[in-house]
Amino acid sequence: MRYLKVLWSHDLPEEPVELYSELDDAGYEIRKVEIYRDGRCDFADGDLSSGTTMLGEGPLPSLEEIAEQEEFSPTLIEVADFERVWRQVVGDSNNS
């Protein structure tokens, strides 16, 4: 498993500015969290999703390929960092 955080620099209010992905060994998303500029958060996993967030249909590009696009700043993160964000977002959505 790999855990990825991508900062997306843009001016589109309907699109997220932070993306967190849990990836399997082939690069497919297992879980994903999207955070928007206004503080809104959405998520997706194999069973549930919120908002318009969905798991990618194919494997994500490599970290280097993502970084080639100047609007994206990708970094690998620790599992604990991903789990903290996941619990905050999924916990909040379950309490709504």
Side-chain angles (χ1 to χ4, degrees):
M1 296 285 207
R2 291 179 298 140
Y3 300 87
L4 182 64
K5 174 183 179 180
V6 178
L7 299 178
W8 184 9
S9 178
H10 61 78
D11 296 323
L12 307 168
E14 69 280 358
E15 296 293 340
V17 293
E18 285 183 54
L19 303 101
Y20 294 84
S21 297
E22 177 182 45
L23 306 172
D24 68 12
D25 293 336
Y28 286 85
E29 290 179 320
I30 297 170
R31 295 185 290 171
K32 176 192 242 177
V33 171
E34 296 180 336
I35 301 175
Y36 297 80
R37 186 174 277 105
D38 64 5
R40 189 166 42 99
C41 302
D42 288 318
F43 70 93
D45 66 15
D47 298 318
L48 300 172
S49 66
S50 66
T52 59
T53 300
M54 298 184 310
L55 299 179
E57 293 183 10
L60 257 57
S62 70
L63 198 67
E64 296 77 20
E65 290 174 295
I66 295 169
E68 286 175 1
Q69 299 180 51
E70 64 182 40
E71 67 269 23
F72 295 117
S73 299
T75 53
L76 291 175
I77 60 173
E78 298 293 323
V79 60
D81 296 324
F82 179 86
E83 291 296 344
R84 177 185 50 79
V85 171
W86 180 260
R87 281 192 306 272
Q88 286 174 343
V89 172
V90 175
D92 286 350
S93 72
N94 288 339
N95 294 328
S96 299

